[in-house]
Amino acid sequence: MAKHHIHAQINGDDVEYLCETEETLLDVLRDTLHLTGSKEGCASGDCGACSVMLDGRLVCSCLVLGCEMHGRTVETIEGMAQGETLHPLQQRFLEHAALQCGICTPGVLVASKALLERNNDPTETEVRYWLAGNLCRCTGYDKIVTAVMDTAAAMRKG
Amino acid sequence: MRYEAPDSVEGAVALLAGARGDARVLAGGTDLLVQMRADILDPELIVDIKKISETRTITEEKGGWRIGAAVTGAELKEHTKLKKAWPGVVEAANLIGSTQVQGRATLGGNLCNGSPAADSVPALIAAGAVATLAGPQGRRDLPVEDVMLGPRKLALQKGEIVVSFLLPPKHPRSSDAYLRFIPRTEMDIAVVGAGVSLTVDGGGVITAARVGLGAVAARVLLVTEAAQAIIGSRLDEAAQGRLEAAARAVCRPIDDKRGTVDFRVDVAAVLTRRAALIALDRARAN
Amino acid sequence: MADTATNGHAQSFVGTRTIRPDGVDKVTGRARFGADFNLPGQLIGRVLRSPHPHARIVSIDTSKAEALPGVKAVITRDDFADQPSEFIPAGEMMMNYKDVVRNVMAREKALYEGHAVAAVAATSTAIARRALKLIDVKYEVLPHVIDAVAAMQPGAPLLHDDLFTAGVEPKPDKPSNVAKRIEIKLGDLEAGFKAADLVIEREFKTAPVHQGYIEPHAALASVSEDGTTELWCTTQGHFIVRAHCARLLGLDMGKVRVTATEIGGGFGGKTVVYLEPLAIALSRKAKRPVKMVMSREEVFKASGPTSGATVRVKMGVKKDGKFVAAFAELKYQAGAFQGSPVQPGVFCAFAPYDIENVHVIGYDVVSNRPKVAAYRAPGAPISEYAVESVVDEIAKKLDIDPVDLRLQNAAHEGTKAAYGPKFGPIGLEETLNAIKKTEHWNAPLRKWQGRGVASGFWFNIGGETCASLTVNEDGTVSLVAGTPDIGGLRASLTAVAADELGVPYDKVRPIIGDTGSIGFNFLTGGSRSAFSGSMAIVEAAKQIKSELCARACKLWEAKPEQVEFSGGAVRPLGALAEKVKPMTIADFAKVAGKTGGPIGGVGRINAQGAGPSFGTHMVDLEVDPETGRATILRYTVAQDAGRALHPAYVEGQYQGGAVQGIGWALNEEYIYGEDGKLQNAGFLDYRMPVASDVPMIDTVLVEVANPKHPYGVRGVGETPIVPPLGAIANAMEQATGIRFTELPMSPPRVLKALKEKGLRKA
């Protein structure tokens, strides 16, 4: 079976790759395109460490096939900072120590960015339920939630 | 493993009907990809239906709503009018998995995965949803409660797919609700799922009701006895008691890593009552 | 908040909330964790695992797998030399390599479902997976046993016919599943119970729980033709990995260079080897690099969770609240090979209390499940769940406030712990008093809500540590530490180095050196990395300061007493100060070559004087009486850090450990079928807390300085997981009136108990 030849847009760049049918978008990102920022924690959509934006929608890249990506746009953690300028979420995560080991952090950041783009004034409960699909074993979520809400407040101030 | 993405229902049906080995439909992929990775499934052919526009639209039809089988939970949530008309169906679809999963999971996939614990199915059944199937012999309609026959057993023939769901027209003083029990607050498979849809008259008396119960039997149940228990009442305590008893009576659950038989029966009663009360509040507010 | 000694050092960055030096890479996805490393030409390795919990391995035929195009190497037990049974030190651990080699690759028997039986390296994952299916293993299935108590019964299936219970007299002549019996004694227990006004005895049961790190195990090995081995792996201790791999594969340690990648969580579970020896063996055979990553299912089935256990506690108390007698018997599952954390469980059980008469017995019991690995304060959460539950029951029966009861009996400086040592200054009372001062303590509760309190502790360790500081030609400082950074260590060490040398924080750049770049470091565990690492940095800085003073004396033709190092420079004193100007580190760096050569220091220590960290937790929860579901409403942690080098990362340890405890108490457990197979080997049904399950975790940083550390530091990482189980069980008791003696307190269990007591209606 010949591989699929896919043209997609990833983090604003036109990208071309080959993949087998059974390869997920996560496999393609990590192993073919060498974008290892998205992580595999479970390969079953239960941990969110592989979170990316697909055509503006927050998804687990382990639950999307690489061959579905023709003509689609993907945003990963690697595209979050603008040149040398960190996204406000990235900056505040550092200031609030909202990460310890850091393995869940790319997924949490992508998911949090998706939230703030939809709702710039979330309550603590809304943040927690939105991020329920992003497992963190180190922080107990406290500083993550604080960092997200603090970023929302700062972004509202403009 | 072949991957095809037809842009018509006929194309999808032809591919599935003509497949020699195992062929699977891909909508959201939130069940299929997990099962492939776990070596439970090894299909020869994957038919991606998301390019078929009929499976991806939400349209008003004859006073009701036609929802494409491959519309995602997140898209349902963003559809203000649908959410207002059928809050129970929409909230049920948005309890499947996480925010990420809701970005992909579909009503069609949730039903056709064939799990009696599927979150959207009790709500669809309570709503009186009808599935439109398309196959080599043409199209046919099937009430949702008749699609899933048992765990991983569907009433679909070879080559048949679910194209869309039709929610019936709603009476102005009606609404629905879905509740599920899970041990955490998110992310778990339902241990019990209860969907209730009801209509009240001007005096607040329930004139029509439908109850769907999930994860308490080999298929998702339409519990007519539970509906009868509350029709003609204002859902007073006695009616609630009858409702709970009817829910209990119909449960035939299993002991598994998610819950015991006793637990499921007890909680089925509690959730059915609570869902009915929420549906009643919503119906009265309409 | 913090009100105790700073041990005389001028603070500048220590104690502040600096940005961690490795932070930008972590928030941009640039940081490279175990599975993010790749080498050109690498093969993918995968492991064939036993489907049976207990079976004799009769034969393994790998010929078909070897013949599959794309397969470059296959290994089995035949590729590992057997190891004799003896306990050998690997750093501070005593390892029995006979067990290690068998856990890494099964030999005579498969002893748990998931036990590695063979491994392949192939040119793609798909080919590797296909190759595994072509390996023909003939098993003779044997009866299995999972539960510790069941494994102790006569007639239980026997795992090892050469395991004889240690610690019993007379020495047994029949093998057993009980690997050892240990006990500690203090005073006269019988007399203590005789003197008691109230005696409470309870038995508790816990299930195995997994550390739950989000990053699966990963290793990448590359072996040259002359045996030189490079290994990248996600580990808490790369020197220990080197020791194990060298031993198992017959390599010189000097030929093995292990790089610890960034690590995505460990909590003790990554202090042992699983894939590393396999990857090296495959690479050696295939003559190409081999990369291996575990799937989530493999992590649950084949890496060590902690013990499930049965614990019996009996305590005697005077009616005024004074504890006079304490007994406990602990039976811990070790998994397939001996080595459960029953000993620390025994030691920690009553350690928060000053009790004259104590007797604790522990049993280490093997059973057909993965060999347990350390999980954050190994053994202590289990025993202290039991003890703190009984203490709570005592408080209720005597109508004494649960915090006051603990204060009355609290261990303090000078208390002799039942496991031996006398405590130096400790902060238990401070944490108890801190809890009482919170707003949380006085918040009102409604029906079906309950508040629980529990205390706990962990000894903490020091251990062998090397760290270096090098001054670069431009005056910046390179720091090399040797303990993997699992959660902010580099920030703390950088702050210490910056303060010691008087240079700005961002002029110090830390790395975790590989085993070829720095001397031996024991692993990151025992809450030791900040404690020991900072001590080693202080030592390294001392050397630099002393060296620079010597160079200044030469340059200024001065005597030692005429110069001193302070505020980042060597300063002339007295009259000399009119002749010469101070020289900063950067000034010395510019003339390093001319004044003696490169400037640096290496701290090589065996850190002693680790001080225990005590903590007290308070939790409010609400139970839905119709479903048994508990919701955590509010949570406060008060814990003694000695001195918080970086307050935010100390708070983070408190919060993370508390939430792990919440999961352990309410929902996490390994669920085995009658067939001995794990039913919930994934994040869907192994239910760890998600963000919406928990509230904010409030923290109170208590600081009772550890006099044996230059900054007063105590390790803090492990204590936070010790009190939650007891605190939550105690809150459940207040909310429902039911004492739960089995964990987890999952909804089906709670609802069943409520029904039995006729309490179901809201």
Side-chain angles (χ1 to χ4, degrees):
Chain A
M1 178 71 233
K3 289 194 183 186
H4 304 278
H5 186 182
I6 305 293
H7 289 259
Q9 213 190 59
I10 304 193
N11 297 328
D13 292 330
D14 288 324
V15 165
E16 207 179 317
Y17 62 82
L18 298 174
C19 70
E20 309 270 14
T21 301
E22 57 266 30
E23 283 183 88
T24 63
L25 174 59
L26 181 64
D27 294 333
V28 169
L29 287 171
R30 288 181 56 80
D31 300 332
T32 308
L33 300 176
H34 306 299
L35 292 168
T36 56
S38 308
K39 309 297 180 191
E40 178 175 308
C42 70
S44 58
D46 296 308
C47 76
C50 66
S51 299
V52 301
M53 299 295 283
L54 172 55
D55 290 340
R57 184 71 76 184
L58 178 67
V59 299
C60 281
S61 57
C62 73
L63 294 182
V64 177
L65 291 177
C67 59
E68 291 183 71
M69 292 298 94
H70 201 67
R72 316 289 293 276
T73 57
V74 181
E75 294 161 69
T76 71
I77 182 66
E78 285 91 345
M80 197 160 165
Q82 298 299 316
E84 275 183 25
T85 310
L86 295 177
H87 186 280
L89 274 168
Q90 291 169 308
Q91 184 60 37
R92 285 191 193 249
F93 267 53
L94 292 176
E95 288 167 10
H96 285 280
L99 57 143
Q100 287 178 34
C101 80
I103 194 80
C104 76
T105 306
V108 173
L109 283 169
V110 170
S112 302
K113 181 165 176 269
L115 171 64
L116 296 188
E117 281 167 357
R118 267 165 182 65
N119 177 357
N120 74 348
D121 193 3
T123 62
E124 182 189 329
T125 303
E126 285 172 327
V127 173
R128 289 183 179 277
Y129 274 86
W130 183 270
L131 293 179
N134 289 87
L135 288 182
C136 174
R137 196 57 160 167
C138 293
T139 67
Y141 305 104
D142 184 294
K143 291 182 191 300
I144 290 175
V145 174
T146 300
V148 173
M149 297 193 61
D150 191 32
T151 307
M155 286 172 84
R156 285 196 302 275
K157 277 215 193 85
Chain B
M1 194 184 291
R2 252 168 74 213
Y3 167 87
E4 303 286 349
D7 58 12
S8 70
V9 172
E10 295 69 30
V13 168
L15 282 164
L16 289 165
R20 276 163 301 139
D22 188 26
R24 297 279 162 172
V25 172
L26 172 67
T30 56
D31 286 315
L32 179 62
L33 268 62
V34 176
Q35 289 160 22
M36 279 165 55
R37 185 54 68 104
D39 272 335
I40 296 170
L41 289 179
D42 188 12
E44 200 192 66
L45 167 66
I46 294 179
V47 179
D48 184 346
I49 61 170
K50 296 193 290 293
K51 290 217 173 79
I52 303 169
S53 54
E54 208 184 326
T55 68
R56 296 278 302 127
T57 50
I58 304 173
T59 45
E60 292 191 68
E61 182 176 307
K62 300 187 198 141
W65 288 94
R66 184 162 291 282
I67 305 172
V71 172
T72 67
E75 288 163 335
L76 291 172
K77 190 153 107 174
E78 287 161 5
H79 198 286
T80 329
K81 278 178 100 177
L82 178 66
K83 196 166 150 197
K84 193 160 186 285
W86 293 102
V89 170
V90 173
E91 72 195 346
N94 279 281
L95 282 173
I96 303 170
S98 59
T99 309
Q100 289 87 340
V101 166
Q102 288 145 29
R104 296 285 285 177
T106 65
L107 293 177
N110 198 224
L111 175 63
C112 295
N113 185 45
S115 165
D119 276 312
S120 66
V121 182
L124 283 173
I125 289 176
V130 171
T132 295
L133 315 179
Q137 320 297 337
R139 296 202 174 206
R140 60 179 177 130
D141 284 342
L142 211 51
V144 168
E145 60 267 24
D146 293 334
V147 175
M148 196 195 301
L149 303 173
R152 306 220 181 286
K153 262 187 82 194
L154 305 174
L156 272 52
Q157 309 293 335
K158 178 168 169 139
E160 251 187 331
I161 60 169
V162 175
V163 177
S164 59
F165 298 91
L166 181 65
L167 294 179
K170 283 200 68 177
H171 189 280
R173 272 189 304 269
S174 69
S175 193
D176 64 340
Y178 174 78
L179 283 179
R180 68 169 180 187
F181 181 84
I182 51 170
R184 292 182 290 182
T185 53
E186 281 286 314
M187 297 307 286
D188 295 325
I189 298 290
V191 181
V192 175
V196 177
S197 162
L198 49 80
T199 307
V200 293
D201 67 16
V205 175
I206 298 171
T207 56
R210 279 176 70 94
V211 176
L213 257 185
V216 294
R219 54 194 289 189
V220 183
L221 304 172
L222 168 67
V223 193
T224 43
E225 305 86 341
Q228 273 149 24
I230 61 175
I231 289 172
S233 81
R234 285 193 180 80
L235 205 50
D236 54 293
E237 273 201 40
Q240 291 177 34
R242 290 193 304 273
L243 177 65
E244 290 197 24
R248 287 175 170 280
V250 84
C251 290
R252 290 169 323 263
I254 53 170
D255 268 349
D256 70 5
K257 63 196 173 210
R258 295 175 188 143
T260 59
V261 166
D262 281 349
F263 183 73
R264 285 186 155 110
V265 172
D266 286 338
V267 175
V270 171
L271 287 193
T272 307
R273 178 202 354 120
R274 290 180 180 178
L277 287 167
I278 296 172
L280 184 64
D281 273 344
R282 288 176 176 166
R284 288 206 196 118
N286 276 352
Chain C
M1 208 177 48
D3 61 354
T4 47
T6 60
N7 288 11
H9 288 249
Q11 303 305 346
S12 177
F13 298 100
V14 168
T16 66
R17 294 167 191 260
T18 55
I19 303 285
R20 59 196 281 175
D22 55 305
V24 172
D25 282 356
K26 296 255 162 88
V27 299
T28 56
R30 183 177 285 105
R32 290 186 301 272
F33 292 80
D36 300 333
F37 278 84
N38 295 290
L39 282 175
Q42 71 186 13
L43 303 168
I44 302 297
R46 292 211 64 85
V47 180
L48 182 67
R49 300 185 180 280
S50 166
H52 306 293
H54 196 194
R56 201 168 303 284
I57 300 174
V58 175
S59 65
I60 307 176
D61 181 354
T62 60
S63 53
K64 289 207 201 78
E66 289 175 56
L68 185 67
V71 172
K72 302 300 180 189
V74 181
I75 56 173
T76 65
R77 56 194 172 180
D78 296 336
D79 294 277
F80 291 89
D82 200 354
Q83 302 282 335
S85 177
E86 53 172 333
F87 285 90
I88 297 176
E92 288 181 22
M93 308 190 312
M94 294 300 277
M95 303 301 302
N96 190 329
Y97 280 102
K98 179 171 194 232
D99 289 343
V100 177
V101 73
R102 279 163 176 75
N103 195 38
V104 155
M105 183 70 82
R107 290 185 90 80
E108 302 85 6
K109 291 208 259 178
L111 289 162
Y112 52 96
E113 182 212 12
H115 200 166
V117 170
V120 308
T123 50
S124 76
T125 306
I127 295 175
R129 290 176 85 184
R130 233 175 293 146
L132 291 185
K133 295 195 176 124
L134 294 175
I135 298 177
D136 187 10
V137 183
K138 295 227 177 342
Y139 295 100
E140 180 201 326
V141 178
L142 302 168
H144 63 271
V145 63
I146 302 283
D147 177 73
V149 171
M152 290 172 83
Q153 304 310 313
L158 200 62
L159 272 73
H160 305 280
D161 51 23
D162 59 350
L163 184 64
F164 297 87
T165 310
V168 294
E169 293 297 330
K171 279 201 185 347
D173 56 2
K174 286 230 275 295
S176 150
N177 290 325
V178 182
K180 75 174 177 207
R181 178 188 185 282
I182 55 169
E183 67 185 317
I184 55 171
K185 273 190 178 144
L186 198 63
D188 181 346
L189 191 74
E190 225 186 283
F193 278 120
K194 272 215 186 76
D197 296 322
L198 171 68
V199 174
I200 297 194
E201 182 171 358
R202 287 274 193 183
E203 187 164 284
F204 300 83
K205 199 163 149 66
T206 70
V209 293
H210 196 275
Q211 299 82 348
Y213 32 86
I214 307 301
E215 179 205 30
H217 299 264
L220 170 61
S222 182
V223 182
S224 309
E225 283 70 7
D226 67 352
T228 303
T229 299
E230 287 184 284
L231 179 71
W232 291 259
C233 59
T234 172
T235 177
Q236 292 172 242
H238 45 318
F239 289 87
I240 300 301
V241 171
R242 182 179 69 171
H244 289 338
C245 291
R247 171 83 189 197
L248 292 174
L249 295 159
L251 303 166
D252 286 345
M253 281 197 206
K255 264 191 153 148
V256 181
R257 182 153 65 108
V258 184
T259 301
T261 67
E262 298 295 339
I263 171 174
F267 313 108
K270 290 182 178 160
T271 56
V272 290
V273 291
Y274 298 107
L275 298 176
E276 297 82 353
L278 304 182
I280 294 175
L282 284 167
S283 177
R284 188 158 65 174
K285 226 174 180 180
K287 304 211 176 6
R288 281 167 69 169
V290 175
K291 176 173 173 175
M292 301 182 78
V293 182
M294 278 197 194
S295 68
R296 179 52 49 186
E297 189 184 348
E298 287 179 291
V299 173
F300 277 115
K301 285 189 173 168
S303 72
T306 192
S307 310
T310 297
V311 178
R312 187 160 61 92
V313 170
K314 183 174 170 189
M315 288 182 74
V317 58
K318 290 280 213 211
K319 59 174 176 278
D320 69 353
K322 176 103 189 80
F323 298 161
V324 288
F327 170 80
E329 185 183 64
L330 285 49
K331 295 170 182 164
Y332 280 32
Q333 286 168 330
F337 301 93
Q338 63 180 296
S340 77
V342 68
Q343 177 160 307
V346 164
F347 285 10
C348 289
F350 296 108
Y353 304 111
D354 187 352
I355 311 175
E356 253 179 54
N357 310 298
V358 178
H359 185 197
V360 187
I361 304 171
Y363 295 95
D364 184 33
V365 183
V366 298
S367 67
N368 293 112
R369 38 168 299 244
K371 170 162 188 11
V372 301
Y375 179 16
R376 204 167 195 164
I382 297 167
S383 58
E384 292 199 50
Y385 153 58
V387 170
E388 290 299 291
S389 296
V390 171
V391 168
D392 194 65
E393 209 176 327
I394 291 172
K396 292 234 151 59
K397 285 226 162 76
L398 296 181
D399 199 21
I400 299 177
D401 173 281
V403 174
D404 289 339
L405 180 65
R406 288 176 173 86
L407 277 166
Q408 184 183 354
N409 291 282
H412 42 259
E413 182 167 2
T415 300
K416 181 166 169 57
Y419 67 93
K422 248 205 196 129
F423 287 128
I426 55 174
L428 174 57
E429 284 166 343
E430 284 79 351
T431 66
L432 287 161
N433 286 318
I435 286 289
K436 285 184 101 171
K437 289 207 191 81
T438 60
E439 207 191 292
H440 180 179
W441 176 247
N442 291 308
L445 291 169
R446 294 200 305 257
K447 186 162 193 244
W448 293 109
Q449 294 182 345
R451 177 168 300 145
V453 173
S455 298
F457 115 121
W458 187 251
F459 345 69
N460 301 328
I461 62 171
E464 292 184 85
T465 311
C466 284
S468 72
L469 293 172
T470 303
V471 179
N472 302 308
E473 308 95 275
D474 62 354
T476 57
V477 178
S478 294
L479 188 163
V480 180
T483 48
D485 181 352
I486 57 181
L489 172 70
R490 274 164 290 189
S492 300
L493 296 185
T494 302
V496 170
D499 282 6
E500 288 293 307
L501 296 177
V503 299
Y505 179 84
D506 64 359
K507 297 295 184 190
V508 179
R509 300 306 298 178
I511 62 167
I512 306 299
D514 62 49
T515 57
S517 308
I518 193 79
F520 179 83
N521 275 267
F522 190 53
L523 50 80
T524 297
S527 307
R528 69 175 222 93
S529 60
F531 169 80
S532 315
S534 54
M535 274 173 115
I537 293 294
V538 167
E539 175 57 33
K542 231 190 239 155
Q543 294 167 16
I544 291 175
K545 291 188 270 198
S546 148
E547 168 69 19
L548 295 184
C549 285
R551 293 188 187 196
C553 286
K554 256 212 173 117
L555 284 172
W556 299 335
E557 289 171 14
K559 294 208 195 68
E561 55 269 24
Q562 290 179 284
V563 308
E564 83 169 2
F565 187 103
S566 75
V570 178
R571 297 176 193 281
L573 301 172
L576 186 62
E578 285 152 39
K579 296 213 209 98
V580 292
K581 285 213 297 267
M583 282 181 72
T584 64
I585 290 188
D587 294 334
F588 276 105
K590 284 205 196 80
V591 296
K594 287 191 235 144
T595 55
I599 304 167
V602 183
R604 295 189 189 90
I605 60 175
N606 188 346
Q608 304 295 310
S613 178
F614 283 86
T616 300
H617 291 205
M618 173 166 54
V619 58
D620 291 355
L621 55 78
E622 179 171 323
V623 176
D624 179 344
E626 293 189 310
T627 65
R629 159 109 84 68
T631 303
I632 305 288
L633 301 173
R634 201 166 175 172
Y635 204 108
T636 302
V637 175
Q639 185 178 331
D640 177 16
R643 172 88 168 109
L645 294 174
H646 193 304
Y649 289 108
V650 170
E651 289 162 0
Q653 293 296 316
Y654 294 2
Q655 293 164 335
V659 172
Q660 282 182 317
I662 289 172
W664 194 336
L666 293 181
N667 269 312
E668 293 179 38
E669 60 178 325
Y670 264 41
I671 301 175
Y672 284 97
E674 289 287 303
D675 57 3
K677 302 193 184 182
L678 186 60
Q679 295 185 339
N680 59 336
F683 282 141
L684 178 61
D685 289 304
Y686 182 81
R687 292 182 270 269
M688 301 183 349
V690 299
S692 44
D693 288 338
V694 294
M696 294 298 191
I697 310 290
D698 296 327
T699 57
V700 180
L701 271 183
V702 169
E703 289 180 311
V704 174
N706 173 8
K708 302 230 173 87
H709 184 281
Y711 285 77
V713 169
R714 297 175 191 274
V716 294
E718 290 170 282
T719 300
I721 202 176
V722 180
L725 308 187
I728 293 167
N730 295 341
M732 287 290 270
E733 197 281 335
Q734 193 180 73
T736 62
I738 299 171
R739 169 66 50 190
F740 286 92
T741 56
E742 189 169 350
L743 296 183
M745 293 173 281
S746 54
R749 238 180 226 139
V750 173
L751 190 63
K752 184 160 186 258
L754 286 170
K755 275 177 79 173
E756 277 162 13
K757 280 217 156 173
L759 292 173
R760 266 201 65 217
K761 280 301 158 189

